[in-house]
Amino acid sequence: TQLLEQSPQFLSIQEGENLTVYCNSSSVFSSLQWYRQEPGEGPVLLVTVVTGGEVKKLKRLTFQFGDARKDSSLHITAAQPGDTGLYLCAGAGDSNYQLIWGAGTKLIIKP
Amino acid sequence: NAGVTQTPKFQVLKTGQSMTLQCAQDMNHNSMYWYRQDPGMGLRLIYYSASEGTTDKGEVPNGYNVSRLNKREFSLRLESAAPSQTSVYFCASSIRVSNQPQHFGDGTRLSIL
């Protein structure tokens, strides 16, 4: 059974600080997606990483896929209150019909 | 520009009652999914439909049934609701199954007393 573990589960920091959240597995994934979910809404796709070692930037967010395609990280520079939300990672694994979801990191950015 | 629309947004049921959650997408996607989201457990797949006319079980199908009514609509039915089914239910769609990005509705918050 493929699993994705996200850490930390909860993070509360001040506006302007930097942070990194992680998505780890012992299994190899063909690709990995990151989503953000705001309260009362469904998850919204941020980025998909496909190649081992790949780095993608989305404004102040930097996503990296591990060289072995078993892990990924999301780094936020100069966090803003608008970055508050639940960050979910989802991997495409052995099965070709469903994504494997992490439990998420709940991020709160205080003004 | 609706995307994925779920109804109702909130529902309270008594144990043993039945209900159907509705989902419709207007993106011409082939595949649709039903998930439940519980605190600390992420998203768990209940059922999915790879294409119109097909449905398959996901990780947690017990107590649920689904119908892919047409390409746009995918409903989830609870025949005899139990307190353990209290959750937030999300419908999603994608161009096709596998590693394609999924587009989600805003969820149905279901409480079973």
Side-chain angles (χ1 to χ4, degrees):
Chain A
T1 302
Q2 293 182 293
L3 296 173
L4 272 172
E5 295 186 357
Q6 291 191 245
S7 61
Q9 290 184 313
F10 179 78
L11 184 60
S12 179
I13 62 172
Q14 292 293 137
E15 181 178 3
E17 294 183 11
N18 301 332
L19 67 107
T20 302
V21 299
Y22 300 92
C23 177
N24 296 309
S25 177
S26 59
S27 304
V28 175
F29 291 96
S30 59
S31 65
L32 199 136
Q33 302 169 13
W34 283 92
Y35 293 77
R36 179 169 63 210
Q37 183 179 17
E38 298 187 18
E41 299 182 4
V44 176
L45 179 73
L46 296 173
V47 75
T48 300
V49 286
V50 178
T51 306
E54 182 176 6
V55 176
K56 281 192 174 179
K57 292 191 175 183
L58 187 65
K59 297 184 180 178
R60 294 175 295 99
L61 279 60
T62 301
F63 303 85
Q64 184 162 8
F65 201 14
D67 291 342
R69 291 184 288 125
K70 292 183 179 181
D71 54 82
S72 182
S73 63
L74 160 58
H75 181 78
I76 301 179
T77 303
Q80 298 179 0
D83 296 327
T84 292
L86 178 68
Y87 288 80
L88 295 161
C89 63
D94 294 345
S95 163
N96 65 359
Y97 62 79
Q98 61 175 296
L99 296 173
I100 308 300
W101 291 86
T105 292
K106 187 173 183 178
L107 177 63
I108 295 177
I109 310 300
K110 295 176 286 189
Chain B
N1 199 9
V4 179
T5 303
Q6 292 185 237
T7 57
K9 294 188 184 302
F10 302 94
Q11 185 71 47
V12 178
L13 294 177
K14 294 181 179 179
T15 297
Q17 287 186 318
S18 62
M19 79 161 296
T20 299
L21 281 61
Q22 306 287 353
C23 174
Q25 53 92 8
D26 62 2
M27 295 174 283
N28 201 34
H29 285 170
N30 291 302
S31 304
M32 298 185 73
Y33 313 81
W34 275 105
Y35 291 93
R36 60 178 290 172
Q37 185 176 39
D38 301 293
M41 299 187 73
L43 289 164
R44 291 185 291 169
L45 184 66
I46 304 171
Y47 271 93
Y48 71 99
S49 171
S51 60
E52 185 179 357
T54 69
T55 62
D56 285 285
K57 296 178 180 180
E59 180 185 356
V60 289
N62 291 345
Y64 306 95
N65 285 299
V66 290
S67 295
R68 182 75 181 266
L69 305 170
N70 48 55
K71 191 172 185 178
R72 293 185 64 248
E73 297 172 288
F74 189 36
S75 62
L76 177 72
R77 182 162 178 83
L78 286 70
E79 290 291 352
S80 180
S84 61
Q85 294 178 305
T86 292
S87 187
V88 182
Y89 291 86
F90 287 98
C91 176
S93 69
S94 64
I95 294 173
R96 57 182 182 275
V97 292
S98 188
N99 60 349
Q100 296 300 308
Q102 295 184 8
H103 299 259
F104 287 80
D106 285 339
T108 294
R109 283 141 191 85
L110 181 62
S111 293
I112 300 166
L113 307 176

